[in-house]
Amino acid sequence: MTAYGGTGGGGAGRIGVGFAACHHGEILQGVFLDENDRPCAGLVTLPMQGPGTRAEFTPGHGNSPGQLTVYPADRTKALRAAALAIEECAAPRGRAPCRGGELTLSGDVPLGLGMGSSSSDVIAAIRAVADAYGLRLPPATIARLAVRAERASDPLMLGGGPLLFAQREGRVLEVLGEALPPAVVVGCALGGGSPVDTLSLPAPRHDHEDVRAYERLRSLLRRAVADADTALLGHVSTESARRAQRVREQREFGLLDRIAGRVGAVGLQIAHSGNVAGLLFDPAAPDLGHRLRRCVRALRTCGIPVTRTFATGTTGTTSEEHLHGRTHVRRDRPARSDTSRRRAHLPALRDDEGRLGHGGGTAPARHRHRTTR
């Protein structure tokens, strides 16, 4: 196991659990103006229900007093996040940090595809530590700790609403609305589904023209959300992916763009730091099932693995306890706009050979770990 030294003492008194979802890459990513007209890196992710990381934190079980360990041993970002969360939960309340501990991660987020696997690890770890202390940290606090732990974080701690997030600063630049326009996404994996080392990617360099272009896309996305305009959402996502090719060229981009045009998709989206991608469809199209089946066939014919199909604007059945641990279960919790709803029905995507093109997990390198309980 990888160890992280800390201070001794007692604080947390029970096993804490936490969960964080992943995402399906970005709808929009670039450089934008903040409230002070300062250029700032930002992104809007495409939320997805299903895969995620579950963290379990057992306090007081380090190999020596004040020592933290993690399993799997290479999850060093999550380990740093746990140490930061211990300090956050203990010090301001006059408690001593816990006497070491063990962090165990389990889940099914594919690694290195640009789906936020490290952010999912980090956020789940922070929530698990907080749960061990009997606390629930505000999303803004989790965002601050996540950025300290991994230098840049996806906004997975803030729910699935569309927002422009400064990933290196851990703050929201703009809440774009309540929900993304309705869309059905046929997911796929480019580059043969191989993982991407994000630390090896060149740092993007932007000039005033880039800022103007991204601000225009930001304005269009704001309008797409306000009008529930799926076609405009597809346009913004495609243009963002096209501009990202200057930083990290995807050799299948042109092919994916042509497939989108042939099968009646409104656009495409590609993770800016990985190989996960998707073609976006208007769920109101009268021949949606036919379009989706043609899309699956076209992708497979071109040797692009099809992963899963999902819809925007739907929520899963993740409970408060599942996200934040047992501390935060409220039986009298009032219904809110994010209360779970029934999943949207998607057409069965069987191709001419009877194979399904959705419902299965992503094939490449899985984030599947053991648990100790």
Side-chain angles (χ1 to χ4, degrees):
M1 292 185 177
T2 303
Y4 190 104
T7 56
R14 67 174 189 190
I15 295 175
V17 296
F19 178 83
C22 67
H23 60 78
H24 201 266
E26 292 77 31
I27 287 289
L28 175 61
Q29 181 171 350
V31 61
F32 307 89
L33 297 177
D34 68 5
E35 66 277 8
N36 297 315
D37 289 332
R38 179 180 63 91
C40 181
L43 53 80
V44 180
T45 57
L46 177 60
M48 179 181 65
Q49 294 292 328
T53 298
R54 183 181 189 273
E56 195 173 274
F57 178 67
T58 305
H61 288 273
N63 295 332
S64 62
Q67 186 178 62
L68 298 178
T69 58
V70 66
Y71 185 87
D74 62 347
R75 302 295 186 259
T76 54
K77 293 178 181 179
L79 192 62
R80 287 196 296 270
L84 292 169
I86 289 171
E87 294 176 2
E88 181 73 26
C89 293
R93 295 161 180 82
R95 306 180 191 177
C98 65
R99 191 178 175 87
E102 179 178 293
L103 177 67
T104 301
L105 304 174
S106 60
D108 53 1
V109 184
L111 302 179
L113 285 187
M115 297 175 68
S117 60
S118 61
S119 290
S120 182
D121 282 355
V122 162
I123 294 166
I126 292 171
R127 285 173 168 165
V129 169
D131 186 52
Y133 275 88
L135 301 172
R136 178 176 176 180
L137 296 177
T141 300
I142 298 176
R144 172 171 54 82
L145 297 178
V147 169
R148 288 182 63 190
E150 58 171 339
R151 294 191 293 181
S153 175
D154 295 314
L156 302 174
M157 73 294 291
L158 296 168
L163 50 85
L164 182 63
F165 185 74
Q167 69 269 29
R168 296 178 189 143
E169 301 178 15
R171 64 190 181 98
V172 176
L173 297 176
E174 180 183 357
V175 177
L176 297 168
E178 294 186 0
L180 285 174
V184 176
V185 184
V186 176
C188 59
L190 306 181
S194 59
V196 175
D197 179 9
T198 56
L199 297 179
S200 67
L201 298 177
R205 303 179 67 177
H206 300 292
D207 56 23
H208 294 298
E209 181 183 350
D210 291 321
V211 175
R212 287 194 296 269
Y214 283 117
E215 279 293 314
R216 179 178 177 274
L217 291 176
R218 173 186 186 174
S219 178
L220 291 176
L221 182 56
R222 187 187 301 125
R223 176 150 55 98
V225 170
D227 297 342
D229 190 332
T230 305
L232 189 54
L233 173 71
H235 170 74
V236 170
S237 181
T238 302
E239 289 307 306
S240 179
R242 193 186 310 279
R243 296 188 69 84
Q245 299 306 299
R246 299 180 303 168
V247 177
R248 178 173 173 267
E249 184 177 1
Q250 291 274 9
R251 63 181 179 84
E252 296 112 326
F253 175 82
L255 177 60
L256 206 63
D257 196 23
R258 290 191 294 273
I259 291 174
R262 290 204 309 266
V263 302
V266 298
L268 57 88
Q269 61 91 209
I270 298 177
H272 291 217
S273 60
N275 280 327
V276 70
L279 283 84
L280 282 61
F281 292 83
D282 186 344
D287 55 348
L288 176 62
H290 177 64
R291 296 187 189 201
L292 297 182
R293 287 188 289 272
R294 286 186 62 203
C295 179
V296 169
R297 288 197 300 270
L299 290 171
R300 286 183 169 147
T301 299
C302 295
I304 299 177
V306 178
T307 55
R308 65 174 67 233
T309 298
F310 62 98
T312 64
T314 60
T315 59
T317 56
T318 303
S319 67
E320 287 291 296
E321 179 175 1
H322 188 44
L323 282 173
H324 300 284
R326 292 152 297 185
T327 298
H328 316 293
V329 176
R330 290 276 309 273
R331 296 188 184 280
D332 59 346
R333 182 171 180 260
R336 301 184 343 186
S337 59
D338 60 353
T339 302
S340 297
R341 302 186 297 273
R342 180 178 298 176
R343 291 181 182 272
H345 175 72
L346 298 178
L349 304 185
R350 294 188 183 274
D351 62 16
D352 291 337
E353 298 178 8
R355 296 177 299 186
L356 279 173
H358 76 289
T362 309
R366 286 201 174 269
H367 183 172
R368 194 177 301 280
H369 318 314
R370 66 160 191 171
T371 57
T372 57
R373 296 182 70 185

